[in-house]
Amino acid sequence: MGNRVITFGTFDVFHVGHVNILEKCSQLGSELIVGVSSDALNFKKKNRYPVYDEYSRLKIIKSLKFVNEVFIEESLEQKRHYINYYRANILAMGDDWEGRFDDLRDICEVTYFPRTPSISTTEIIEIARKL
Ligand code: CTP
């Protein structure tokens, strides 16, 4: 059986950095499961609500050809539960999270990918504000 890969993120104002990481994650296995942060979790994490609500963000991620399953991530602390529930054997994240999830190595492989340079949701919002 192929690897089941899981990753997490807000994926607000979808951009090519998001495509790149999801594509890289999908190349690690045969199934890619994506936890999309809830609006409430995003507020806790980044102190602002996303531009697109959780249902829109989930719908966008679900529509991608290299994504097999999606769900709303309600809490950062429940990663262990989600990994077990979705029977994932690889957790892959962008390297802005480097080292943060190493404690999960007892239940799965943990990999961090380099971020795509020079693009982020925050930066896109800043640029749009100035227009
Ligand atoms: N990501 C990436 N390269 C980028 C931006 C994001 O690889 N240039 C990855 C992150 O490392 C994460 C996933 O995409 O694994 C979702 O990141 P998210 O926080 O939703 O996107 P950002 O653009 O970083 O959003 P923000 O600016 O609000 O932090």
Side-chain angles (χ1 to χ4, degrees):
M1 217 176 73
N3 288 319
R4 289 174 63 80
V5 185
I6 194 165
T7 191
F8 297 87
T10 306
F11 303 104
D12 189 26
V13 189
F14 194 67
H15 60 69
V16 74
H18 295 149
V19 177
N20 289 340
I21 191 154
L22 292 171
E23 186 175 35
K24 281 186 259 182
C25 287
S26 75
Q27 288 165 352
L28 293 177
S30 55
E31 297 285 312
L32 176 59
I33 304 133
V34 183
V36 175
S37 307
S38 70
D39 295 340
L41 174 55
N42 203 74
F43 189 80
K44 252 194 249 167
K45 216 165 51 169
K46 300 185 183 180
N47 217 32
R48 64 169 163 77
Y49 283 105
V51 175
Y52 302 154
D53 68 35
E54 57 198 37
Y55 304 108
S56 305
R57 291 182 286 111
L58 190 86
K59 191 168 182 179
I60 291 167
I61 301 300
K62 200 176 175 180
S63 74
L64 299 173
K65 66 179 177 197
F66 32 73
V67 173
N68 302 96
E69 215 170 326
V70 290
F71 65 95
I72 300 280
E73 179 194 21
E74 303 284 356
S75 152
L76 286 182
E77 287 72 42
Q78 282 192 55
K79 291 246 173 355
R80 185 175 291 273
H81 160 75
Y82 294 127
I83 291 164
N84 286 328
Y85 183 82
Y86 288 99
R87 291 178 291 108
N89 62 317
I90 301 179
L91 167 64
M93 300 288 295
D95 65 2
D96 41 331
W97 295 95
E98 183 81 55
R100 277 283 296 278
F101 300 113
D102 289 358
D103 59 311
L104 296 166
R105 289 209 157 107
D106 59 332
I107 54 165
C108 65
E109 196 182 302
V110 180
T111 305
Y112 304 94
F113 286 118
R115 282 169 68 90
T116 302
S118 318
I119 188 160
S120 73
T121 298
T122 307
E123 202 183 296
I124 295 166
I125 293 171
E126 293 297 312
I127 291 167
R129 271 212 182 103
K130 287 182 196 142
L131 292 177

